Amino acid sequence: MTARFLAAICGLLLLPLWHGLLGAQPVAPPTAPILRIETSAHNAPIRALDVDSAGRYAVTASDDKTARVWDLSSGRLIQTLRPPIGPGNDGKLFASTITPNGAVIAVGGWSPDNDVYLFDRASGAMIQRITGLPNTITQLAFAPDGQTLAIGLWGKHGIRLFTSATQWRGASIEVGNDSQYDGEVYRARYSPDGKQLATASVDGLVRLYDVSQRRLTLLQRARPAGGGQPFNVAYAPDGKLLAVSFSDTAAVTVLQAATLQPAYTPSIAGVTNGSLSALTWSADGRELLAAGTWKRADGSHGLRRWADGGRGAATDSALASNSVMGLRTLADGRMLYAAADPVWGWIASSTSPVSTRFAVPSGLMDFRDGRTGFRLARDATAISFSSRDVNGVAENIGFDVRNAAWVPPQPQWTAPSSNTRNLAATDWFEGIRPSLNGRQIALTDNEVTISVAVSPDASGAALGTSFYLRFVKADGTALWRTEAPGTTWQVNVSGDSRWVVAGFSDGTLRWYRAKDGVEMLAILPHADRKRWVAWTPQGYYTASPGGEDLFGWQINRGASVAADFYPGSRLRANFFRPDVISALLDTADIEAALRITSQSVIPPSSPPVSPLVSGVEIDSKTPPVVTVLSPRDGSSFSAREVLLSISVRTPAG
């Protein structure tokens, strides 16, 4: 991947999408059900990683608009936190932190009211919302005593400090702020004793604050050598040293924590590209560790370890297959990492009581680097694509949509072409100025073209970009543009020129009408090569055994309450409609597909055909929500009888 692509797509460090969000007008969370992918893991880049002081729980936050809580003894998912969300970027999470005692989690990112949401870790309930902040939340950090929360902001709004006398169960109070910043806050970290707070900002400065009295008092500012944009700060376990990394260079520097004066500079010899923006110290302070966008010669994103706290020799090893967004170390010797794949996991020494290497993958197919394998049957009723297996080996996979089955790819299926006899797309790969027959196609700021397919009838071309799926007519004018659910890795146009089919970074394949860009169908093939689910935007679906819980509906319950999520299986009786999916491939019209299926002989197990599904209709059919209040998840007991305490809500009445 080129530097341009990394900055605009995987961005991941510069997060350019925030620029386009400033000045958005506050709106209430939408009440209509929202279709969501759910693989029991993140399905978009992980932006933040934090752990409690005892190393029991990890919390991750992602562009997929969820935060997730993981059991660090086993790696299993124990809680999915769902703030209210909306269309587009509304709800993407860029920051998360957990109180040292593991009781409360704070998450934030983009929301219309610039909210920080606080959740009870055990139940997943939202217990508080800090709202009305001046801009997007970029960073969150709880103090070692868990009673103050530092909030970093986008733009020139700096840092805010909030406190709570009720363990965040009651009202919180802003006790300090510093808006004297010339750029967004990238990182905020408390010293181990909780008396100081250090921040890194794109304005080039590292700042040091006294927070010992639960006030924010600026002590020092420094412009560390090595790069123009400090990105991360990490205190050594004894609090005497502060490591700093940068987003614009691979440099790492170590400062005296009390004065921000230079202490020493770890060697970055051999790091010839990218950055080492993710930083952490070993639990005993003997090692300094870093990773980031740095890509090794073998194609992996590497981990660099320096002995003697960064003064000594460096050793390198492979860590992840994509940019590393966060690092944390535990007392048992494990180092946790979160990457943009999205994958999180850990590596440990051979003497650790847990696995020496463990990873939680997304479960998504990866459609990158498979252009020649992205093939369609002439009528788009079957598709093949390339993806890598668990060993990283690429293979071609076929799926027959009409017959709902995995099949071998067929030689007559056609790959996308960037040109025909009369029409040619040029300068499109990772380009910002693509052209069609020499006519430049206008893109938005930071938008990069990733894939292209010229229509067989030469009427135009489909372009997949970092932000959109587009169709441009032969004369270079736009026919339609639709927001992409992720990076558009692949795109193709069916042989009959009726369909545009795209493969996205969220692991979905989606069918769009070529004439107007309306999405008709989405398919999520799981990376296990067994499960899959296909659905329409209206919620009708078909699935493999076990596949119907790979998607579901999120329903917001207000700005200050956690949203509900209903897997597909909970509404199977109303929306499991393989007949509708099959008819849709012929009609390219959901109403026509419903009319056709209502006139056919419906198997006894099929529900009566209903009109188009509305948000109100889905909400009226949702089952009760049952929460076990006690015993808490993970509790142990030996009594012969156990008293269960539960709460039951019936949103549908």
Side-chain angles (χ1 to χ4, degrees):
M1 298 179 187
T2 66
R4 174 191 297 164
F5 179 75
L6 285 170
I9 311 301
C10 301
L12 307 177
L13 300 178
L14 302 180
L15 299 174
L17 63 89
W18 284 336
H19 288 293
L21 301 175
L22 304 184
Q25 295 300 312
V27 295
T31 57
I34 301 171
L35 280 168
R36 305 290 293 155
I37 295 168
E38 180 51 55
T39 62
S40 297
H42 287 299
N43 55 66
I46 299 172
R47 299 287 187 179
L49 168 70
D50 199 15
V51 297
D52 68 313
S53 60
R56 297 167 298 170
Y57 310 109
V59 57
T60 52
S62 168
D63 279 2
D64 68 9
K65 307 184 182 183
T66 69
R68 296 177 188 259
V69 187
W70 310 88
D71 177 0
L72 287 177
S73 65
S74 63
R76 72 181 179 94
L77 176 66
I78 56 177
Q79 200 69 259
T80 300
L81 308 179
R82 299 183 186 275
I85 64 173
N89 294 308
D90 184 359
K92 289 183 176 180
L93 298 177
F94 306 139
S96 65
T97 186
I98 185 170
T99 52
N101 66 3
V104 177
I105 292 168
V107 301
W110 195 96
S111 63
D113 294 328
N114 301 316
D115 300 307
V116 174
Y117 305 100
L118 291 106
F119 288 85
D120 175 71
R121 188 267 313 157
S123 67
M126 190 185 300
I127 56 177
Q128 189 180 154
R129 178 172 67 113
I130 299 172
T131 189
L133 293 164
N135 217 306
T136 300
I137 286 63
T138 61
Q139 178 62 195
L140 294 168
F142 277 119
D145 64 4
Q147 296 186 40
T148 60
L149 174 65
I151 304 173
L153 300 169
W154 180 258
K156 299 182 179 181
H157 298 279
I159 195 89
R160 297 287 195 276
L161 194 67
F162 281 77
T163 188
S164 169
T166 60
Q167 294 296 311
W168 306 99
R169 308 286 168 168
S172 57
I173 302 171
E174 183 176 341
V175 293
N177 70 80
D178 182 2
S179 299
Q180 300 303 306
Y181 280 68
D182 288 326
E184 50 275 9
V185 174
Y186 274 158
R187 195 70 71 220
R189 287 288 180 266
Y190 282 90
S191 60
D193 61 10
K195 294 180 180 180
Q196 294 182 338
L197 177 74
T199 66
S201 170
V202 73
D203 65 9
L205 295 174
V206 172
R207 293 167 171 83
L208 184 66
Y209 299 91
D210 177 5
V211 290
S212 60
Q213 303 301 314
R214 295 186 187 169
R215 295 289 186 270
L216 198 66
T217 303
L218 182 64
L219 298 175
Q220 303 283 346
R221 299 194 310 172
R223 193 176 297 275
Q229 297 180 348
F231 184 81
N232 208 341
V233 290
Y235 276 97
D238 62 6
K240 295 180 180 180
L241 296 171
L242 185 71
V244 181
S245 65
F246 303 85
S247 62
D248 58 334
T249 71
V252 173
T253 188
V254 179
L255 309 177
Q256 300 288 347
T259 63
L260 300 186
Q261 293 301 305
Y264 53 90
T265 302
S267 170
I268 58 169
V271 181
T272 58
N273 62 77
S275 69
L276 295 171
S277 49
L279 278 176
T280 192
W281 298 75
S282 61
D284 59 11
R286 294 179 180 178
E287 286 188 318
L288 179 63
L289 304 92
T293 61
W294 168 45
K295 198 169 185 179
R296 294 166 18 116
D298 63 5
S300 68
H301 285 72
L303 171 69
R304 172 154 291 195
R305 294 174 179 264
W306 291 277
D308 194 16
R311 301 179 185 87
T315 57
D316 299 333
S317 59
L319 181 60
S321 62
N322 211 318
S323 298
V324 178
M325 304 303 298
L327 297 176
R328 288 288 187 275
T329 52
L330 304 180
D332 64 11
R334 281 182 290 171
M335 186 209 69
L336 274 60
Y337 68 95
D341 300 18
V343 171
W344 80 273
W346 65 66
I347 58 175
S349 66
S350 58
T351 59
S352 174
V354 296
S355 301
T356 56
R357 193 164 188 109
F358 174 84
V360 177
S362 65
L364 306 177
M365 293 284 194
D366 186 350
F367 303 127
R368 285 178 294 179
D369 306 323
R371 179 174 171 80
T372 58
F374 196 74
R375 295 171 173 265
L376 286 175
R378 190 178 189 281
D379 58 0
T381 59
I383 187 171
S384 70
F385 51 89
S386 296
S387 187
R388 298 186 181 276
D389 62 18
V390 292
N391 298 314
V393 178
E395 59 178 339
N396 289 331
I397 303 166
F399 190 80
D400 186 325
V401 184
R402 187 186 301 282
N403 294 306
W406 302 100
V407 296
Q410 299 300 306
Q412 67 269 27
W413 299 349
T414 56
S417 174
S418 60
N419 63 81
T420 64
R421 181 182 302 176
N422 300 315
L423 200 60
T426 55
D427 301 323
W428 57 269
F429 183 64
E430 295 186 9
I432 58 175
R433 297 182 181 87
S435 296
L436 193 60
N437 275 5
R439 299 182 180 92
Q440 186 174 317
I441 300 166
L443 303 180
T444 61
D445 291 343
N446 299 315
E447 187 179 2
V448 178
T449 306
I450 308 300
S451 52
V452 70
V454 172
S455 178
D457 65 2
S459 61
L463 281 79
T465 79
S466 46
F467 303 146
Y468 300 103
L469 179 63
R470 298 171 174 270
F471 196 92
V472 180
K473 294 190 290 186
D475 63 3
T477 60
L479 180 61
W480 50 263
R481 182 189 79 179
T482 186
E483 188 169 325
T487 303
T488 316
W489 292 124
Q490 305 296 340
V491 67
N492 204 345
V493 181
S494 61
D496 59 11
S497 298
R498 295 175 64 238
W499 295 101
V500 174
V501 181
F504 297 98
S505 60
D506 70 348
T508 61
L509 304 164
R510 299 184 187 241
W511 275 246
Y512 299 82
R513 286 194 307 224
K515 66 179 182 180
D516 56 13
V518 174
E519 183 183 334
M520 291 282 105
L521 179 67
I523 298 179
L524 179 71
H526 195 275
D528 63 13
R529 272 61 167 181
K530 298 177 182 178
R531 291 175 291 163
W532 57 269
V533 61
W535 67 88
T536 73
Q538 297 77 21
Y540 299 112
Y541 76 93
T542 184
S544 67
E548 57 192 342
D549 286 345
L550 293 173
F551 91 123
W553 290 269
Q554 175 163 329
I555 301 180
N556 297 324
R557 299 302 183 189
S560 299
V561 180
D564 287 331
F565 180 78
Y566 299 94
S569 62
R570 301 297 297 274
L571 294 162
R572 177 186 178 91
N574 299 100
F575 302 115
F576 182 72
R577 295 305 305 272
D579 56 336
V580 172
I581 302 297
S582 180
L584 189 62
L585 294 169
D586 296 323
T587 63
D589 184 283
I590 186 65
E591 294 188 32
L594 287 168
R595 286 195 300 270
I596 291 171
T597 54
S598 68
Q599 296 167 4
S600 62
V601 177
I602 300 174
S605 60
S606 297
V609 174
S610 61
L612 291 182
V613 180
S614 69
V616 173
E617 183 181 351
I618 290 176
D619 204 11
S620 69
K621 299 179 187 304
T622 54
V625 178
V626 181
T627 304
V628 178
L629 303 176
S630 66
R632 293 286 195 177
D633 185 33
S635 299
S636 60
F637 45 85
S638 58
R640 295 174 65 91
E641 294 183 358
V642 177
L643 179 65
L644 293 178
S645 175
I646 67 172
S647 70
V648 180
R649 288 189 296 109
T650 57

mmCIF file of all heavy atoms in Angstrom, residues 40-42 46 49 56-60 67-79 344 360-361:
data_model
loop_
_atom_site.group_PDB
_atom_site.id
_atom_site.type_symbol
_atom_site.label_atom_id
_atom_site.label_comp_id
_atom_site.label_asym_id
_atom_site.label_seq_id
_atom_site.Cartn_x
_atom_site.Cartn_y
_atom_site.Cartn_z
ATOM 1 N N SER A 40 -19.484 -11.244 16.685
ATOM 2 C CA SER A 40 -18.915 -11.418 18.030
ATOM 3 C C SER A 40 -17.478 -10.930 18.090
ATOM 4 O O SER A 40 -16.676 -11.396 18.919
ATOM 5 C CB SER A 40 -19.011 -12.873 18.489
ATOM 6 O OG SER A 40 -20.360 -13.270 18.585
ATOM 7 N N ALA A 41 -17.141 -10.010 17.218
ATOM 8 C CA ALA A 41 -15.833 -9.359 17.183
ATOM 9 C C ALA A 41 -16.017 -8.044 16.433
ATOM 10 O O ALA A 41 -17.083 -7.782 15.869
ATOM 11 C CB ALA A 41 -14.793 -10.234 16.490
ATOM 12 N N HIS A 42 -14.992 -7.219 16.454
ATOM 13 C CA HIS A 42 -15.081 -5.956 15.720
ATOM 14 C C HIS A 42 -15.028 -6.221 14.218
ATOM 15 O O HIS A 42 -14.371 -7.157 13.751
ATOM 16 C CB HIS A 42 -13.940 -5.021 16.114
ATOM 17 C CG HIS A 42 -14.092 -4.423 17.473
ATOM 18 N ND1 HIS A 42 -15.156 -3.626 17.824
ATOM 19 C CD2 HIS A 42 -13.314 -4.512 18.592
ATOM 20 C CE1 HIS A 42 -15.028 -3.226 19.075
ATOM 21 N NE2 HIS A 42 -13.922 -3.748 19.565
ATOM 22 N N ILE A 46 -10.059 -1.068 14.911
ATOM 23 C CA ILE A 46 -10.058 -0.819 16.357
ATOM 24 C C ILE A 46 -9.235 0.435 16.598
ATOM 25 O O ILE A 46 -8.080 0.525 16.184
ATOM 26 C CB ILE A 46 -9.471 -2.017 17.126
ATOM 27 C CG1 ILE A 46 -10.315 -3.270 16.882
ATOM 28 C CG2 ILE A 46 -9.387 -1.710 18.613
ATOM 29 C CD1 ILE A 46 -9.708 -4.536 17.452
ATOM 30 N N LEU A 49 -7.583 0.819 22.944
ATOM 31 C CA LEU A 49 -7.414 -0.366 23.775
ATOM 32 C C LEU A 49 -7.038 0.082 25.178
ATOM 33 O O LEU A 49 -6.169 0.934 25.354
ATOM 34 C CB LEU A 49 -6.296 -1.239 23.191
ATOM 35 C CG LEU A 49 -5.773 -2.387 24.062
ATOM 36 C CD1 LEU A 49 -6.828 -3.484 24.194
ATOM 37 C CD2 LEU A 49 -4.480 -2.958 23.473
ATOM 38 N N ARG A 56 -7.672 -8.055 34.334
ATOM 39 C CA ARG A 56 -8.790 -8.992 34.169
ATOM 40 C C ARG A 56 -9.571 -8.725 32.900
ATOM 41 O O ARG A 56 -10.100 -9.648 32.282
ATOM 42 C CB ARG A 56 -9.738 -8.910 35.368
ATOM 43 C CG ARG A 56 -9.127 -9.312 36.692
ATOM 44 C CD ARG A 56 -10.029 -8.884 37.836
ATOM 45 N NE ARG A 56 -10.193 -7.437 37.870
ATOM 46 C CZ ARG A 56 -11.073 -6.795 38.645
ATOM 47 N NH1 ARG A 56 -11.884 -7.489 39.415
ATOM 48 N NH2 ARG A 56 -11.143 -5.478 38.631
ATOM 49 N N TYR A 57 -9.689 -7.441 32.523
ATOM 50 C CA TYR A 57 -10.540 -7.058 31.406
ATOM 51 C C TYR A 57 -9.786 -6.152 30.435
ATOM 52 O O TYR A 57 -8.991 -5.306 30.840
ATOM 53 C CB TYR A 57 -11.784 -6.308 31.904
ATOM 54 C CG TYR A 57 -12.508 -6.999 33.017
ATOM 55 C CD1 TYR A 57 -12.472 -6.483 34.320
ATOM 56 C CD2 TYR A 57 -13.228 -8.161 32.791
ATOM 57 C CE1 TYR A 57 -13.142 -7.112 35.358
ATOM 58 C CE2 TYR A 57 -13.898 -8.803 33.824
ATOM 59 C CZ TYR A 57 -13.841 -8.276 35.104
ATOM 60 O OH TYR A 57 -14.497 -8.911 36.126
ATOM 61 N N ALA A 58 -10.076 -6.329 29.169
ATOM 62 C CA ALA A 58 -9.640 -5.389 28.136
ATOM 63 C C ALA A 58 -10.880 -4.781 27.519
ATOM 64 O O ALA A 58 -11.908 -5.449 27.363
ATOM 65 C CB ALA A 58 -8.815 -6.092 27.063
ATOM 66 N N VAL A 59 -10.807 -3.515 27.158
ATOM 67 C CA VAL A 59 -11.895 -2.856 26.444
ATOM 68 C C VAL A 59 -11.334 -2.283 25.150
ATOM 69 O O VAL A 59 -10.255 -1.687 25.133
ATOM 70 C CB VAL A 59 -12.566 -1.759 27.305
ATOM 71 C CG1 VAL A 59 -11.569 -0.713 27.761
ATOM 72 C CG2 VAL A 59 -13.713 -1.093 26.541
ATOM 73 N N THR A 60 -12.053 -2.514 24.057
ATOM 74 C CA THR A 60 -11.657 -2.018 22.743
ATOM 75 C C THR A 60 -12.799 -1.183 22.182
ATOM 76 O O THR A 60 -13.969 -1.457 22.447
ATOM 77 C CB THR A 60 -11.344 -3.173 21.783
ATOM 78 O OG1 THR A 60 -12.440 -4.099 21.774
ATOM 79 C CG2 THR A 60 -10.075 -3.904 22.196
ATOM 80 N N ALA A 67 -18.155 -0.772 21.473
ATOM 81 C CA ALA A 67 -17.012 -1.063 22.331
ATOM 82 C C ALA A 67 -17.245 -2.462 22.877
ATOM 83 O O ALA A 67 -18.395 -2.874 23.087
ATOM 84 C CB ALA A 67 -16.892 -0.051 23.457
ATOM 85 N N ARG A 68 -16.175 -3.199 23.095
ATOM 86 C CA ARG A 68 -16.311 -4.587 23.535
ATOM 87 C C ARG A 68 -15.390 -4.848 24.721
ATOM 88 O O ARG A 68 -14.272 -4.342 24.779
ATOM 89 C CB ARG A 68 -16.019 -5.545 22.374
ATOM 90 C CG ARG A 68 -17.053 -5.390 21.252
ATOM 91 C CD ARG A 68 -16.785 -6.259 20.048
ATOM 92 N NE ARG A 68 -17.692 -5.908 18.974
ATOM 93 C CZ ARG A 68 -18.799 -6.592 18.644
ATOM 94 N NH1 ARG A 68 -19.115 -7.688 19.321
ATOM 95 N NH2 ARG A 68 -19.578 -6.190 17.652
ATOM 96 N N VAL A 69 -15.905 -5.663 25.636
ATOM 97 C CA VAL A 69 -15.182 -6.012 26.850
ATOM 98 C C VAL A 69 -14.792 -7.480 26.755
ATOM 99 O O VAL A 69 -15.630 -8.335 26.453
ATOM 100 C CB VAL A 69 -16.026 -5.766 28.106
ATOM 101 C CG1 VAL A 69 -15.186 -5.972 29.358
ATOM 102 C CG2 VAL A 69 -16.628 -4.361 28.094
ATOM 103 N N TRP A 70 -13.524 -7.765 27.036
ATOM 104 C CA TRP A 70 -12.966 -9.098 26.848
ATOM 105 C C TRP A 70 -12.400 -9.622 28.159
ATOM 106 O O TRP A 70 -11.789 -8.877 28.922
ATOM 107 C CB TRP A 70 -11.865 -9.070 25.796
ATOM 108 C CG TRP A 70 -12.253 -8.385 24.532
ATOM 109 C CD1 TRP A 70 -12.140 -7.050 24.249
ATOM 110 C CD2 TRP A 70 -12.834 -8.985 23.365
ATOM 111 N NE1 TRP A 70 -12.603 -6.778 22.983
ATOM 112 C CE2 TRP A 70 -13.037 -7.955 22.420
ATOM 113 C CE3 TRP A 70 -13.187 -10.288 23.022
ATOM 114 C CZ2 TRP A 70 -13.582 -8.192 21.153
ATOM 115 C CZ3 TRP A 70 -13.726 -10.528 21.773
ATOM 116 C CH2 TRP A 70 -13.916 -9.492 20.855
ATOM 117 N N ASP A 71 -12.590 -10.914 28.398
ATOM 118 C CA ASP A 71 -12.021 -11.589 29.552
ATOM 119 C C ASP A 71 -10.573 -11.947 29.225
ATOM 120 O O ASP A 71 -10.310 -12.727 28.306
ATOM 121 C CB ASP A 71 -12.843 -12.852 29.838
ATOM 122 C CG ASP A 71 -12.287 -13.662 30.990
ATOM 123 O OD1 ASP A 71 -11.268 -13.255 31.581
ATOM 124 O OD2 ASP A 71 -12.871 -14.722 31.295
ATOM 125 N N LEU A 72 -9.641 -11.404 29.991
ATOM 126 C CA LEU A 72 -8.237 -11.610 29.667
ATOM 127 C C LEU A 72 -7.689 -12.941 30.163
ATOM 128 O O LEU A 72 -6.532 -13.270 29.880
ATOM 129 C CB LEU A 72 -7.393 -10.457 30.216
ATOM 130 C CG LEU A 72 -7.545 -9.143 29.438
ATOM 131 C CD1 LEU A 72 -6.748 -8.027 30.079
ATOM 132 C CD2 LEU A 72 -7.125 -9.332 27.982
ATOM 133 N N SER A 73 -8.486 -13.722 30.879
ATOM 134 C CA SER A 73 -8.028 -15.062 31.223
ATOM 135 C C SER A 73 -8.247 -16.035 30.074
ATOM 136 O O SER A 73 -7.537 -17.035 29.951
ATOM 137 C CB SER A 73 -8.750 -15.579 32.470
ATOM 138 O OG SER A 73 -10.135 -15.752 32.218
ATOM 139 N N SER A 74 -9.218 -15.733 29.222
ATOM 140 C CA SER A 74 -9.552 -16.638 28.122
ATOM 141 C C SER A 74 -9.610 -15.958 26.765
ATOM 142 O O SER A 74 -9.539 -16.627 25.730
ATOM 143 C CB SER A 74 -10.911 -17.289 28.386
ATOM 144 O OG SER A 74 -11.935 -16.296 28.427
ATOM 145 N N GLY A 75 -9.774 -14.643 26.739
ATOM 146 C CA GLY A 75 -9.935 -13.917 25.486
ATOM 147 C C GLY A 75 -11.365 -13.859 24.990
ATOM 148 O O GLY A 75 -11.638 -13.300 23.922
ATOM 149 N N ARG A 76 -12.322 -14.406 25.764
ATOM 150 C CA ARG A 76 -13.697 -14.441 25.281
ATOM 151 C C ARG A 76 -14.366 -13.077 25.430
ATOM 152 O O ARG A 76 -14.028 -12.274 26.303
ATOM 153 C CB ARG A 76 -14.509 -15.505 26.020
ATOM 154 C CG ARG A 76 -14.839 -15.175 27.459
ATOM 155 C CD ARG A 76 -15.629 -16.302 28.120
ATOM 156 N NE ARG A 76 -15.919 -15.988 29.509
ATOM 157 C CZ ARG A 76 -17.038 -15.408 29.917
ATOM 158 N NH1 ARG A 76 -17.974 -15.077 29.039
ATOM 159 N NH2 ARG A 76 -17.235 -15.147 31.198
ATOM 160 N N LEU A 77 -15.321 -12.835 24.549
ATOM 161 C CA LEU A 77 -16.124 -11.620 24.607
ATOM 162 C C LEU A 77 -17.133 -11.746 25.741
ATOM 163 O O LEU A 77 -17.891 -12.724 25.804
ATOM 164 C CB LEU A 77 -16.858 -11.416 23.280
ATOM 165 C CG LEU A 77 -17.824 -10.234 23.191
ATOM 166 C CD1 LEU A 77 -17.068 -8.918 23.277
ATOM 167 C CD2 LEU A 77 -18.632 -10.303 21.890
ATOM 168 N N ILE A 78 -17.173 -10.768 26.637
ATOM 169 C CA ILE A 78 -18.128 -10.827 27.742
ATOM 170 C C ILE A 78 -19.143 -9.693 27.715
ATOM 171 O O ILE A 78 -20.143 -9.760 28.430
ATOM 172 C CB ILE A 78 -17.413 -10.859 29.106
ATOM 173 C CG1 ILE A 78 -16.479 -9.658 29.276
ATOM 174 C CG2 ILE A 78 -16.661 -12.150 29.292
ATOM 175 C CD1 ILE A 78 -15.810 -9.604 30.648
ATOM 176 N N GLN A 79 -18.938 -8.677 26.899
ATOM 177 C CA GLN A 79 -19.909 -7.586 26.840
ATOM 178 C C GLN A 79 -19.701 -6.786 25.561
ATOM 179 O O GLN A 79 -18.552 -6.523 25.162
ATOM 180 C CB GLN A 79 -19.737 -6.657 28.039
ATOM 181 C CG GLN A 79 -20.918 -5.786 28.367
ATOM 182 C CD GLN A 79 -22.100 -6.561 28.899
ATOM 183 O OE1 GLN A 79 -23.046 -6.812 28.153
ATOM 184 N NE2 GLN A 79 -22.059 -6.952 30.159
ATOM 185 N N TRP A 344 -7.438 -8.058 17.712
ATOM 186 C CA TRP A 344 -6.725 -7.766 18.943
ATOM 187 C C TRP A 344 -6.223 -9.092 19.501
ATOM 188 O O TRP A 344 -6.719 -10.167 19.156
ATOM 189 C CB TRP A 344 -7.602 -7.041 19.970
ATOM 190 C CG TRP A 344 -8.530 -7.939 20.734
ATOM 191 C CD1 TRP A 344 -9.780 -8.339 20.374
ATOM 192 C CD2 TRP A 344 -8.252 -8.591 21.981
ATOM 193 N NE1 TRP A 344 -10.307 -9.187 21.308
ATOM 194 C CE2 TRP A 344 -9.396 -9.361 22.311
ATOM 195 C CE3 TRP A 344 -7.155 -8.603 22.851
ATOM 196 C CZ2 TRP A 344 -9.465 -10.130 23.467
ATOM 197 C CZ3 TRP A 344 -7.223 -9.368 24.009
ATOM 198 C CH2 TRP A 344 -8.376 -10.115 24.311
ATOM 199 N N VAL A 360 -7.849 -12.509 18.410
ATOM 200 C CA VAL A 360 -9.283 -12.553 18.129
ATOM 201 C C VAL A 360 -9.502 -11.874 16.786
ATOM 202 O O VAL A 360 -9.468 -10.637 16.690
ATOM 203 C CB VAL A 360 -10.098 -11.832 19.221
ATOM 204 C CG1 VAL A 360 -11.575 -11.833 18.865
ATOM 205 C CG2 VAL A 360 -9.876 -12.500 20.573
ATOM 206 N N PRO A 361 -9.691 -12.653 15.719
ATOM 207 C CA PRO A 361 -9.909 -12.052 14.397
ATOM 208 C C PRO A 361 -11.337 -11.544 14.257
ATOM 209 O O PRO A 361 -12.205 -11.825 15.092
ATOM 210 C CB PRO A 361 -9.632 -13.209 13.447
ATOM 211 C CG PRO A 361 -10.033 -14.415 14.231
ATOM 212 C CD PRO A 361 -9.687 -14.126 15.665
#
